[in-house]
Amino acid sequence: MRLLYVHSRKASFVAIDRDILAERFEIEDLYQPGRLPNVPRVIGAVRRADVVFGWFASWHTFLPVTLAWLLRKPSVMVIGGFDTANMPDISYGHQRGGLRRQASRWIFRRATRLITNSTYSLSEIERNTPIPPERVTVVHHGVPDPFGEAPAAKERAALTVGAIDRTTLVQKGQLPFVQAARELPDVRFVFAGKWLDDAVEELRAAASPNVELTGWLSDDDLHAAYRSAAVYVQASRHEGFGLAVAEAMLAGCVPVVMNVTAMPEVVGDAGVLIESQEPAAVAEGVRKALAMGPGAAARARERILTAFPMESRREGILRVVDGAISERA
């Protein structure tokens, strides 16, 4: 069977699910990074497909899911993130109103099956949208393990990873991370991520001498950064799961995360939860993580191996897709 795989970003979680589905289906990719679709291409791709699978309910999935619905073809959507959030104080989330909310809810209603990546995201869908929670299946991310074991020695360093633009400085807690470095001059703060606009200049202006802004890193260099850092910081206001946190934990980084959205669900008792994005709070979280002792790295790694194995993601995704196909058969 042919599966049309619709996405708008080159992200590791998108690639992971594509690999899972390629075990069962012939995949045709529909990568649409912009707001305006290539209409003839979308029409042809949906007509050739037996099932449509999309990541996030937004402009790139609006036409594919609508056409699948009109042609009575099954579709599966993974939702939970900017498409289900409603956080006006940081200007984040499609559910704040306007055309984005209307478009996302149109997609939610017309997809045959819906998947979300955390129990938190399911509660957010119930709170922010008219979609009944029984229409949504929670399938936690599976996290591939390129590390094999937690390194024996760790540098006294705090790492965060993510692309940088004006929208992520607060939403992802990037500015507080950089500002927190002044509170801990004996700790190296490393920020790895692609610079998408001039927001990096604001980070540079706030940075103390112990901050390194690496820019984009190759997979090998990123894995080396995970292996060397003792602490991983994700001071985000919103995460539908937090895959980078889980990847860092597999490398033996002790996580420091905000006690909000899905992050406590991922970290469990294997890290430090902070209650504020204030630089002093972030710094205190890093200080606590560094003091947790040598067993903390192993506990962080074991948490991800136990709670989020790849096989559970594989079984969950394929079960929902099979159900969508059977429903439209």
Side-chain angles (χ1 to χ4, degrees), residues 305-327:
L305 291 173
T306 303
F308 308 111
M310 278 296 301
E311 189 55 36
S312 294
R313 181 71 176 186
R314 179 179 291 105
E315 291 176 358
I317 289 287
L318 292 174
R319 187 185 309 116
V320 175
V321 174
D322 289 343
I325 292 169
S326 299
E327 186 174 326

Side-chain angles (χ1 to χ4, degrees), residues 57 79-87 93-97 100-110 114-116 120-136 238:
I79 61 175
F82 63 86
D83 53 352
T84 60
N86 179 11
M87 302 183 77
H94 281 10
Q95 299 309 309
R96 287 174 292 151
R100 287 186 176 91
R101 181 171 69 180
Q102 294 178 41
S104 63
R105 292 182 178 188
W106 172 278
I107 296 164
F108 297 156
R109 291 189 180 102
R110 281 153 186 83
L114 298 169
I115 294 171
T116 199
Y120 167 78
S121 285
L122 181 61
S123 70
E124 185 174 70
I125 291 162
E126 185 175 12
R127 184 170 62 253
N128 292 343
T129 81
I131 302 305
E134 57 268 20
R135 283 202 61 218
V136 187
H238 187 282

Side-chain angles (χ1 to χ4, degrees), residues 196 221 279:
L196 301 179
D221 288 342

